[in-house]
Amino acid sequence: MATDVHGEVTAGRAAVEITGLTRPFDGRAVIDGLDLTVRPGEFVALLGRSGCGKSTLLRILAGLDRDIDGAVLVPRRRAVAFQAPRLMPWKRVWRNVVLGLPGRPTRETAVRALAEVGLEHRADAWPRTLSGGEAQRASLARALVREPDLLLLDEPFGALDALTRIRAQQQVAEVWQRRGCAVLLVTHDVEEALLLADRVLVMQDGVIAHEQQVGLPRPRDVGAPEFTLLRAGLLTELGVVASQARP
Ligand SMILES: Nc1ncnc2c1ncn2[C@@H]1O[C@H](COP(=O)(O)OP(=O)(O)OP(=O)(O)O)[C@@H](O)[C@H]1O
Ligand SMILES: [Mg+2]
């Protein structure tokens, strides 16, 4: 089942189906006739220059921005981890994680999700006492606990140090494989996109300007020649010269 962002329910064979999506801001169409289909269970990464509209697209898919033209079909069960963690400062971390879940979610449920991102030891902390990376992981746990059919991630690893980042990437990959949800991951990191995704999209001028299937077996080897080739191709699409990006 999929639901459009206006709440109508339709049967869907895709996890995401976007047709002719347009979102103007002050007369400028940041998203301009965008089409995109994501298969159920598919892991898609979205690249694009700063300001090209990636977060805008995610907000629309999350149902937080309805000021649009075009058709957007998404699963009813979806969750989003925003670019900046949005934790309620007056609620302890574990309560933030289960905030808005139906029923009476327990601390145990929250701790399980926090454990998935290596943060169970901070379950009783106040959000203001978390580091930037910890807050980002709490926000990720908050998305994972919803057991979504569509997981929307907006640069969820941006504030993490290199080692924590690798661990968090592996955790997202594990959760994705275990739950079989579709993922749309916004990232600035071409390598991260190629490590995780089935397909990498490049957004430009308000549309998906380029897409690259990643047919490499997992876990992927960043040193493999096929990987290097895909990375160079994507960097070129992004207007970056590969030799500049990797000294
Ligand atoms: N509420 C808003 N009102 C006016 N303009 C907006 C609004 N939200 C976004 N924009 C504009 O839309 C464009 C796309 O913004 P968006 O946040 O989607 O970019 P992005 O691709 O996520 O960039 P980044 O990689 O820096 O996060 C920007 O030029 C931004 O200024
Ligand atoms: Mg953004």
Side-chain angles (χ1 to χ4, degrees), residues 205-225:
D205 300 328
V207 296
I208 305 302
H210 177 74
E211 70 169 64
Q212 175 69 59
Q213 293 288 339
V214 189
L216 307 176
R218 294 178 168 92
R220 292 176 178 156
D221 174 8
V222 294

Side-chain angles (χ1 to χ4, degrees), residues 154-232:
D154 198 349
E155 299 188 45
F157 314 122
L160 305 182
D161 66 86
L163 273 179
T164 315
R165 188 182 179 106
I166 289 168
R167 197 166 152 221
Q169 286 171 349
Q170 285 168 348
Q171 279 153 346
V172 165
E174 276 169 32
V175 167
W176 165 70
Q177 273 169 346
R178 192 165 67 243
R179 300 202 178 153
C181 55
V183 179
L184 186 57
L185 166 77
V186 171
T187 175
H188 279 286
D189 185 337
V190 172
E191 208 158 90
E192 178 172 287
L194 286 170
L195 275 173
L196 295 173
D198 297 315
R199 182 162 54 119
V200 181
L201 311 175
V202 177
M203 192 170 171
Q204 194 187 336
D205 300 328
V207 296
I208 305 302
H210 177 74
E211 70 169 64
Q212 175 69 59
Q213 293 288 339
V214 189
L216 307 176
R218 294 178 168 92
R220 292 176 178 156
D221 174 8
V222 294
E226 300 90 338
F227 194 99
T228 309
L229 208 63
L230 289 176
R231 180 171 54 212

Side-chain angles (χ1 to χ4, degrees), residues 57-71:
L57 178 61
L58 246 66
R59 283 178 52 78
I60 292 167
L61 292 172
L64 298 169
D65 180 356
R66 288 154 193 254
D67 212 355
I68 56 167
D69 280 328

Side-chain angles (χ1 to χ4, degrees), residues 93-115:
V93 166
W94 78 264
R95 288 197 185 276
N96 263 283
V97 168
V98 291
L99 192 69
L101 274 186
R104 279 177 165 265
T106 60
R107 184 177 179 284
E108 196 195 334
T109 304
V111 169
R112 256 202 315 272
L114 284 164

Side-chain angles (χ1 to χ4, degrees), residues 78-101:
R78 56 196 193 272
V80 56
F82 294 103
Q83 199 164 0
R86 298 181 181 181
L87 304 173
M88 303 292 174
W90 56 87
K91 287 189 184 293
R92 292 186 190 274
V93 166
W94 78 264
R95 288 197 185 276
N96 263 283
V97 168
V98 291
L99 192 69
L101 274 186

